Amino acid sequence: MHEPLPIIRASAMHEAGADATTLRRRTTREGPDRLVRVGPNAFVHHRRWDAAGPRQRYVTRVYARLGRLGTRATASHDSAAALHGLPALHGWDVPVHATVPTSMYRGRTDTLVLHTRPAAGHDRVPAGAIHVTTVPRTVADIALVGDFRSGVAVADAALRAGWARESLHAAVGRTARGRVLASSIIEFADGRSGSPAESLARVVFRELGLPTPVLQQPFVVGRRRYEVDFWFPDEGVVVEVDGLAKYTQSRYRNGRTQEQVILDEKRRHEALLAVPAIRTIIRLEWRDLFDLEALALRLRSAGLPCAHRPVRSARDVRR
């Protein structure tokens, strides 16, 4: 479970003379004691905020809001995904989501979205001072929103983490609005997708009407074993989805420099092309999955049949 930054709440600081007005003033001035407002009467030291990544900042906003709503509220949807370490195709610049009893519902604002689908005891777990929906319930909630791409990315991650597909289906429920589409999202999900980019690519291939690729297909060249992201055996085409993290983040480099990573990828590419069954390799970046017209042209040029014309762009994903 992802943790928030230390939150300073005005209500807990009255004895020290730091009321809400005083703390708000500290958000407008420069210096070591400057604060960042993360919710109603909730603040974080600016140095911690500046050093945090987008997910931790969002998680902090979730805790700031849920602490204010009370114990009957449950972090859900995007907010639960952030706490559980699940992906978000649209990033973390989104409102806080909470599931509450109907009696607490008061509409939506730019920073807070409330939901009322009942969350039973088995649908929520404690996370420090707040509660959050379980991973299956979180996947179901996001799938029920109806965005196939976001739903698949989250469901893929849950399956990859070891959650059973049956538990995801069960969390959808038999009477929930949108359950047919949600069930199809969960059925399409595949834990072999190694990243959100691969999950999005699978959905994009589906939208373009491509044949179903083989995921994580192994090839042995010499004494080395290589797995490729997508393998289209009838066409002899390999598709790899590369993200910048592979080259820039130390956890993916395994002690190698960026230059070494690039050289290793080049050698891997050349080794795979030596496999007789592989006719060509297409390397895609995240941005390529946003421009479906250009992507369809590339795929067709490589010999992959795109049965459908592009009808949308990943940039259109909104909630």
Side-chain angles (χ1 to χ4, degrees):
M1 200 79 72
H2 284 253
E3 298 290 334
L5 298 168
I7 297 173
I8 302 171
R9 295 189 184 275
S11 59
M13 300 293 290
H14 286 306
E15 293 183 4
D19 57 15
T21 301
T22 302
L23 294 178
R24 282 195 293 270
R25 286 172 180 165
R26 288 174 59 184
T27 66
T28 62
R29 63 190 184 202
E30 297 299 325
D33 63 342
R34 181 168 67 85
L35 299 177
V36 175
R37 184 177 180 273
V38 294
N41 292 331
F43 306 86
V44 169
H45 283 292
H46 81 95
R47 288 180 179 175
R48 294 181 183 272
W49 183 260
D50 292 345
R55 184 190 293 268
Q56 191 175 30
R57 288 183 177 185
Y58 179 63
V59 166
T60 302
R61 291 199 288 117
V62 172
Y63 272 83
R65 275 289 190 173
L66 268 292
R68 178 97 169 179
L69 289 175
T71 57
R72 292 193 298 164
T74 305
S76 62
H77 297 75
D78 291 341
S79 298
L83 269 67
H84 285 302
L86 298 172
L89 292 183
H90 45 283
W92 299 114
D93 186 18
V94 294
V96 171
H97 287 256
T99 293
V100 298
T102 304
S103 60
M104 290 180 61
Y105 184 79
R106 59 174 186 269
R108 151 178 202 150
T109 69
D110 291 340
T111 59
L112 178 65
V113 178
L114 299 180
H115 307 267
T116 57
R117 188 165 84 98
H122 63 270
D123 286 330
R124 61 199 302 257
V125 293
I130 68 173
H131 283 80
V132 58
T133 53
T134 62
V135 169
R137 171 60 188 258
T138 301
V139 172
D141 282 341
I142 292 174
L144 286 166
V145 170
D147 185 276
F148 205 92
R149 296 177 173 190
S150 294
V152 168
V154 173
D156 281 356
L159 294 177
R160 188 165 61 247
W163 291 91
R165 193 183 307 273
E166 292 75 15
S167 68
L168 307 185
H169 278 301
V172 171
R174 297 180 179 179
T175 60
R177 180 183 300 176
R179 63 187 180 279
V180 174
L181 178 57
S183 295
S184 68
I185 288 173
I186 293 170
E187 202 56 39
F188 183 78
D190 195 319
R192 292 174 296 174
S193 288
S195 68
E198 291 181 31
S199 298
L200 176 58
R202 288 177 53 239
V203 179
V204 167
F205 296 161
R206 176 181 181 269
E207 292 173 358
L208 293 177
L210 266 66
T212 302
V214 179
L215 276 58
Q216 310 304 327
Q217 171 68 40
F219 292 96
V220 177
V221 183
R223 297 183 179 180
R224 299 288 301 271
R225 185 177 187 271
Y226 302 99
E227 288 189 356
V228 300
D229 296 336
F230 303 103
W231 168 234
F232 295 87
D234 292 343
E235 294 79 16
V237 177
V238 166
V239 179
E240 298 271 62
V241 182
D242 291 332
L244 288 177
K246 179 189 294 186
Y247 305 98
T248 60
Q249 295 186 17
S250 58
R251 57 176 172 163
Y252 295 112
R253 299 206 310 261
N254 296 321
R256 298 172 296 169
T257 65
Q258 289 188 29
E259 291 77 10
Q260 287 173 324
V261 174
I262 293 172
L263 182 58
D264 287 345
E265 283 297 309
K266 180 177 181 295
R267 290 170 175 166
R268 178 179 182 275
H269 186 95
E270 293 173 348
L272 286 170
L273 284 176
V275 177
I278 298 177
R279 186 174 54 80
T280 188
I281 299 174
I282 302 174
R283 306 191 76 94
L284 302 179
E285 299 178 26
W286 183 268
R287 62 183 178 181
D288 295 323
L289 301 173
F290 297 161
D291 188 348
L292 299 196
E293 291 285 355
L295 177 59
L297 287 175
R298 285 186 64 187
L299 297 175
R300 289 193 183 104
S301 297
L304 288 173
C306 296
H308 305 151
R309 290 182 59 83
V311 294
R312 56 173 286 185
S313 165
R315 290 197 182 100
D316 296 335
V317 175
R318 293 290 186 272
R319 278 223 287 277

